[in-house]
Amino acid sequence: MVTSKLRLSFVCLAMLSLLVGWPHSSFAQSVNLAGSEKTAQSNIINEIIVEGSQRVDTDTVISYMRLKVGDRYERDKLDESLKSLFSTGYFRDVKFRRDGSILIVEVKENPVINRIAFEGNKRIKDDVLEPELKLKPRLVYTLNKVQADAERIIEVYRRSGRFSVKVEPKLIELDQNRVDIVFEITEGELTKVHRILFVGNKRFSDSQLRSVVSTKESRWYRFLTSDDIYDPDRVSYDQDLLRQYYLGNGYVDFQVISSVAELTPSRDGFIITFTVEEGERYDVGSVNVVSNLPNIDPNLLQKEVKIEAGDHYSIDRVDETVDDLTDTIGKSGIAFYDVVPKVNRRSDEKLVDIVFDIGDGQRVYVDQINISGNVRTLDSVIRREMQLAEGDAFNRAKIRESERRIRRLGFFETVKVDRVPTQTPDRIRLEVKVVEKSTGELSFGAGLSSDSGVLGNASIRERNLLGKGQDLALSFGISLQDTQIDLSFTEPYFLDRPLSAGFDIFASEQDRESESAYSERAAGFGLRVGYELAPRWRQTWGYSFKDSDISASAGASRFILAQDGLSSTSKLTHKITYDNTDNFFDPSEGLRLSWNTGVAGLGGSVAYVNNEAKVSQFFPLAEQTVLQLSARAGAVFGLDQDVRLVDRYFLGGTNFRGFAFSGVGARDTATDDGLGGNYYYQSTAELTFPLGLSKEVGIRGRTFIDVGSVFDTDDQGAGIQDSSDPRVSIGVGLTWASILGPLRLDFGYAVLKEDFDQEQVFSFSFGTRF
């Protein structure tokens, strides 16, 4: 009924509009506008309600949204708001829903991290892994951050050589929307290098190149080293070693095309392949020195150039020449200069022309010296070795000498001094960068010697006590013939001066029954002080006091029996040394000199003067081939008394091959006891050479000639045989730098000797520290 009435009303209105002249279209438009206005009002957001937030304030949630109260409800802005809320990292789930003009935002917050723990990490401790993590306790947990931290842990293990490591993060949910994160780590075994291959090498064999690179193939005897563990940084360094090796042998066009490391299918090792392009070998065409310095004559510097036309080009020899020229010019007092090697390659002729251009350098002064990397060593220990100070004119020769002095301390793996420019053009900053190594030693030793038989030793030593560079050592050694205990301390900068001072306390027992039918017990102390006279020259003064007790066997020589009993020695010593060798322990080039003088008799019951001089020159003839020429001589004189047996010189065994220990010198034919001598001389020519084996094996051969004699004792009478005539021995030997210690084997044959001398064809020594 109502519907019918409405229809009738509309019909009447329509007829009325026609009668009064209303346009029909205007009426329809007004009806449509009313409907649109009602629709628009329904799309407006009048209120935003946030549900589920606990830590994050409601207003904070709304502030991250693109939709606000009064905005129209639009799908694009809704999507942007969703992305914005997720990007905060506060929420793990966000949902929108409408209730009329109300927009309801449902959020689920990410939990807060309560604790982070590691399980299964035995090789790398928590304190190493924790700094690598971005997540920390009390921060908001997100899945992406946890996965990123797991990858960082994996990277830490890979840097240590464990590429089979697995890291799985686990969550332990707690109350109040908190979680504990546990990284479960399966460390796996060390990923070693199974093989090293080379592609493109024709001039040098794979075995030769394997001896050049620092990465080594896995072998059972490398259990004490980490060189066979895969390290990407080491492989990159190996590329430089290969490049330097080829350039050092004249291959100017050499290139490393690629270095590829592939995991084996079992993922327990790597196969590394270096692809190289050798190119042709170049010779030296011409060598010249050009000087633009007014006080430097290039002809005088030409003698420092050891490269000649026709030689194979070697970048190593070019660098050595630059160093020699730099040192020579630096010693002349010139502060600002440059030595620049200019190389002109003639590819068609395979020749390289070299010009060492010497010119004025930029006038630069040292503004500041910074030292980094020394966690334990005091700055002052390093700074006192620097040959430059703030305000000094920069000098390359002094920088090189500073690096050498710091390196010789023995406290650091690497030492490098870098120049860093400052805002002032004529000022630079020196950055001394060091990497420390362990200076504490707890060692035990065992070995075998043809002189002393089975031997052992134990020692504890700290070469950088409290980071001050002080040296403290306690050692104990024992063998079938000798026993000794020593305590020593050295302060390298006594009274803050370049003056080393120290003391020694010692006790020993020596058994010489088999050679001279006596034994000696001794105990005492020593004081010493040393300083540098000039570069590479050093002078040392010392004082020692020793009580000794000689016990002669019943059947000993009458001359030995006469020395039976107690005695005391108060002795002042003086020593001068010079050493410019390239390596203190295994030199291949350089000169080493020493002269020792001692005076006993300033108190005590023994009085004598002794002098001893030594000289050794090392010549590098080829790679791993070294010629050593050495000579030494000594003399001891009694002061109003005879020189005791224990203060004389003895030759034989490992110090004069081809003869037994104490086998050269005066001898009592009645008892066959060696009596030593008041004078001795000896010279040696020894050639050490490779045997064609890989360098890493550490075995080298040698051939030698020993010449010398020990003679003249204060013991005179029937039965004493003595001669100053030279003895000569020749022989061959082997040296093996094994991981268990150095092994020396020598076969010597006495070609010139006296009838009373005692010979020994084979001598050896073998020892280890572990």
Side-chain angles (χ1 to χ4, degrees), residues 112-119 121 126-127 129-141 145-146 149-150 153 169-172 174 179-185:
V112 172
I113 299 171
N114 177 62
R115 186 173 66 94
I116 298 176
F118 305 93
E119 289 185 359
N121 56 316
D126 291 6
D127 57 353
L129 297 176
E130 284 174 356
E132 299 290 334
L133 303 183
K134 298 299 182 183
L135 287 176
K136 307 292 181 185
R138 294 186 296 278
L139 293 183
V140 176
Y141 161 87
K145 290 181 180 179
V146 169
D149 280 348
I153 295 172
K170 296 292 184 65
L171 259 64
I172 301 175
L174 306 174
V179 293
D180 287 344
I181 301 176
V182 179
F183 290 97
E184 294 185 355
I185 302 171

Side-chain angles (χ1 to χ4, degrees), residues 7-23:
R7 288 178 180 173
L8 180 60
S9 297
F10 277 112
V11 173
C12 292
L13 285 172
M15 293 178 63
L16 182 60
S17 66
L18 291 173
L19 291 174
V20 299
W22 287 355

Side-chain angles (χ1 to χ4, degrees), residues 224-261:
L224 293 179
T225 71
S226 60
D227 294 341
D228 58 347
I229 298 172
Y230 174 70
D231 184 346
D233 294 334
R234 185 186 287 132
V235 173
S236 298
Y237 174 61
D238 287 338
Q239 294 186 44
D240 294 333
L241 292 179
L242 288 170
R243 191 176 296 107
Q244 189 74 17
Y245 182 74
Y246 270 91
L247 288 175
N249 285 278
Y251 291 85
V252 180
D253 298 327
F254 173 80
Q255 293 182 26
V256 178
I257 305 302
S258 66
S259 58
V260 179

Side-chain angles (χ1 to χ4, degrees), residues 83-131:
K83 294 177 182 178
S84 177
L85 289 172
F86 271 118
S87 67
T88 64
Y90 295 146
F91 311 106
R92 54 180 168 175
D93 193 16
V94 179
K95 293 181 181 179
F96 293 108
R97 60 185 175 87
R98 288 182 61 189
D99 186 1
S101 61
I102 300 174
L103 178 62
I104 301 173
V105 184
E106 295 181 2
V107 297
K108 289 184 179 180
E109 293 180 344
N110 276 321
V112 172
I113 299 171
N114 177 62
R115 186 173 66 94
I116 298 176
F118 305 93
E119 289 185 359
N121 56 316
K122 299 178 181 178
R123 303 296 179 180
I124 301 180
K125 301 303 180 182
D126 291 6
D127 57 353
V128 176
L129 297 176
E130 284 174 356

Side-chain angles (χ1 to χ4, degrees), residues 10 13-15 17-18 21-32:
F10 277 112
L13 285 172
M15 293 178 63
S17 66
L18 291 173
W22 287 355
H24 178 74
S25 60
S26 298
F27 173 78
Q29 187 176 10
S30 64
V31 175
N32 290 335

Side-chain angles (χ1 to χ4, degrees), residues 61 123 137 258 379 544 633 679 730:
V61 176
R123 303 296 179 180
S258 66
D379 279 10
S544 64
Y679 303 90
I730 60 174

